[in-house]
Amino acid sequence: MVIRSGRPRQAREREQAREPEQAKSPESRETKAARAVRKEPPHLTPELIHATALAMVDADGIEGLSMRKLAAALDVNPMSLYHHVPNKAALLLGISQLAVADLRIAPARDDTPWPRQLRQIGHSFRALAHQHSNLIVYLLAHPGFIQREGPLWGALCHTLRRAGLPDAEVGRIGNVLLTFVSGFVLAEINGSLGDLLDSGDAAEIDRGFEAGLDILVAGLAAHGASPAT
Amino acid sequence: MVIRSGRPRQAREREQAREPEQAKSPESRETKAARAVRKEPPHLTPELIHATALAMVDADGIEGLSMRKLAAALDVNPMSLYHHVPNKAALLLGISQLAVADLRIAPARDDTPWPRQLRQIGHSFRALAHQHSNLIVYLLAHPGFIQREGPLWGALCHTLRRAGLPDAEVGRIGNVLLTFVSGFVLAEINGSLGDLLDSGDAAEIDRGFEAGLDILVAGLAAHGASPAT
DNA sequence: ACCTGAACACCGTTCAAGT
DNA sequence: ACCTGAACACCGTTCAAGT
């Protein structure tokens, strides 16, 4: 369970490519440099392992990822991975955190009308789903993806409270909105949505998503939310 | 690891235990009876294989099903299965058809108001999801579960047309409703719903589902559906 | 016609041994 | 401290051989 934060991932990788500023010990930096000169495979780190694994999932789906194939991609013995990642479950947790870090929720601005803010949250989620579609399918089918402490759930609840919903209903309705968006992107990604339509083109799918947001916003207003703000 | 339980399966097995009404040929019935007398393991048939596999998935999840464990449960050599089922993908297709057969959509009655009928469809789907929760998680993550020709999609479109939606919007809005229900039951089954709530009790989850239906029906009315009928 | 054992190419993971 | 080869207990599936 060693997951490093991995916030600005690219910066971190660049940091590794050149000499790291704060190396743990002089020796480790020397050997790292020595290896780089000898053109050996890069030092294994949890960050590199997670990033490579995420790239594999993005490219080939969850089934395309195995400890052994990951090791091959890193040009390393399969067993070496276990010195940096306890097991495959932890690896999947790590790459999911890496992917979720790409989620960009617009900062809560209380001057934008709540329907617009609700739509923005929905679009952010959908954008993330498109970015890591293979992973999202896996994540939605397993618990713990959306967290109560996460920015998405926080923004959602904040907006619903701002729409005038009583406290007792915020969580309830938040779940309704979230499950619609989840279900939609899931069906969209696995192709079900297109199958059920006469014309399964991308624009029609987009219109379906907007229609869903329309209906939910309208229903929310009818349900007791304050119409304006 | 012999799992013999499985709820609705028992009736099905009884049916097979006594003489099937429409046996394929006289010989096959005779040998089946003969074997039963000698207390040999039951004849392998696709039906028995599918029913047993479904029971295993219901009990232990998708990961709990393997060709080898299935064979062990049937007291048979693993390779024998391949004479009745081409491969594991076909097996999963078979058990999903078995499960979907349990879906009971109320017959289309044009005298019940469309909101009530929409809710009924949602409840039918959720009931099925509860009945085979492990399988539904797998099915929702893979394409081809809901079919255009199936009773659920048919009933959904019929009802939306009856609500006065223009043809161009029936498929679009049908997808919205279906993806909400799918996303909800998925999150419900994998525990996400409870995690996000203060009190994750079953009654609160039920209320959330009803709230979702409320909002969608209200939004649909605002969206242009005829209010009554 | 139905079943089976051996075999192949994969998995995740443990562990003792190497440097 | 880091890496590795051998090994174990699993997979799905093929195929030739049995009855």
Side-chain angles (χ1 to χ4, degrees), chain B residues 144-189:
Chain B
F145 171 34
I146 308 284
Q147 273 138 333
R148 228 185 12 195
E149 299 78 22
L152 192 139
W153 185 249
L156 193 50
C157 290
H158 176 80
T159 306
L160 289 175
R161 235 175 269 114
R162 227 159 51 71
L165 284 193
D167 275 7
E169 298 219 328
V170 167
R172 200 136 74 209
I173 309 302
N175 273 337
V176 168
L177 300 180
L178 199 59
T179 55
F180 161 66
V181 176
S182 303
F184 192 95
V185 299
L186 183 60
E188 172 181 25
I189 288 168

Side-chain angles (χ1 to χ4, degrees), chain B:
Chain B
M1 269 283 185
V2 181
I3 306 102
R4 276 293 145 91
S5 73
R7 222 58 267 267
R9 180 165 69 88
Q10 290 172 334
R12 200 173 283 273
E13 274 177 355
R14 242 180 282 117
E15 203 170 49
Q16 271 170 228
R18 42 178 166 81
E19 301 297 84
E21 304 300 328
Q22 66 290 50
K24 287 132 197 171
S25 73
E27 303 93 273
S28 87
R29 196 170 56 189
E30 273 178 69
T31 62
K32 189 169 285 185
R35 295 221 173 200
V37 167
R38 278 185 269 133
K39 290 199 176 179
E40 286 184 12
H43 251 96
L44 280 185
T45 61
E47 289 80 13
L48 180 60
I49 291 173
H50 289 145
T52 308
L54 178 56
M56 289 180 74
V57 172
D58 284 343
D60 302 329
I62 280 283
E63 349 267 41
L65 174 67
S66 78
M67 298 298 274
R68 293 172 123 109
K69 279 193 269 192
L70 174 57
L74 287 163
D75 207 6
V76 128
N77 185 287
M79 301 314 128
S80 303
L81 298 174
Y82 286 89
H83 291 270
H84 304 92
V85 161
N87 51 42
K88 197 182 183 181
L91 174 66
L92 286 168
L93 195 87
I95 74 176
S96 78
Q97 286 170 341
L98 211 56
V100 172
D102 286 346
L103 180 66
R104 274 294 151 257
I105 298 289
R109 299 192 50 193
D110 287 2
D111 55 342
T112 63
W114 63 261
R116 194 161 129 65
Q117 202 141 21
L118 239 38
R119 302 182 84 101
Q120 280 177 356
I121 294 172
H123 284 124
S124 296
F125 188 105
R126 191 156 95 109
L128 177 69
H130 288 168
Q131 208 176 343
H132 300 288
S133 55
N134 292 333
L135 180 61
I136 252 65
V137 170
Y138 167 81
L139 290 180
L140 288 179
H142 292 75
F145 171 34
I146 308 284
Q147 273 138 333
R148 228 185 12 195
E149 299 78 22
L152 192 139
W153 185 249
L156 193 50
C157 290
H158 176 80
T159 306
L160 289 175
R161 235 175 269 114
R162 227 159 51 71
L165 284 193
D167 275 7
E169 298 219 328
V170 167
R172 200 136 74 209
I173 309 302
N175 273 337
V176 168
L177 300 180
L178 199 59
T179 55
F180 161 66
V181 176
S182 303
F184 192 95
V185 299
L186 183 60
E188 172 181 25
I189 288 168
N190 75 23
S192 302
L193 241 49
D195 287 352
L196 296 176
L197 259 34
D198 286 329
S199 70
D201 60 317
E204 173 58 23
I205 305 275
D206 285 350
R207 256 171 278 147
F209 190 68
E210 299 305 324
L213 294 177
D214 285 345
I215 290 174
L216 286 169
V217 165
L220 220 49
H223 194 74
S226 53
T229 298

Side-chain angles (χ1 to χ4, degrees), chain A residues 104-179:
Chain A
R104 273 293 153 255
I105 298 290
R109 300 190 51 192
D110 287 4
D111 55 341
T112 62
W114 63 261
R116 194 160 128 66
Q117 202 141 20
L118 238 37
R119 303 181 85 102
Q120 280 178 356
I121 295 172
H123 285 124
S124 296
F125 189 105
R126 192 156 95 109
L128 177 70
H130 289 168
Q131 207 176 343
H132 301 288
S133 55
N134 292 332
L135 181 61
I136 253 64
V137 169
Y138 166 81
L139 290 179
L140 287 179
H142 291 77
F145 171 32
I146 308 286
Q147 273 138 333
R148 245 221 310 229
E149 299 78 22
L152 191 138
W153 184 249
L156 194 50
C157 289
H158 176 81
T159 307
L160 289 175
R161 234 175 271 114
R162 226 159 52 70
L165 284 191
D167 274 8
E169 297 219 329
V170 167
R172 200 136 74 209
I173 309 300
N175 273 336
V176 168
L177 299 180
L178 200 59
T179 54

Side-chain angles (χ1 to χ4, degrees), chain A residues 183-223:
Chain A
F184 192 95
V185 300
L186 183 60
E188 173 182 23
I189 289 168
N190 76 22
S192 302
L193 240 51
D195 288 353
L196 296 177
L197 256 35
D198 287 329
S199 70
D201 61 318
E204 173 58 22
I205 305 274
D206 286 350
R207 255 170 279 147
F209 190 67
E210 299 305 324
L213 293 177
D214 286 345
I215 290 174
L216 286 169
V217 166
L220 220 48
H223 194 75

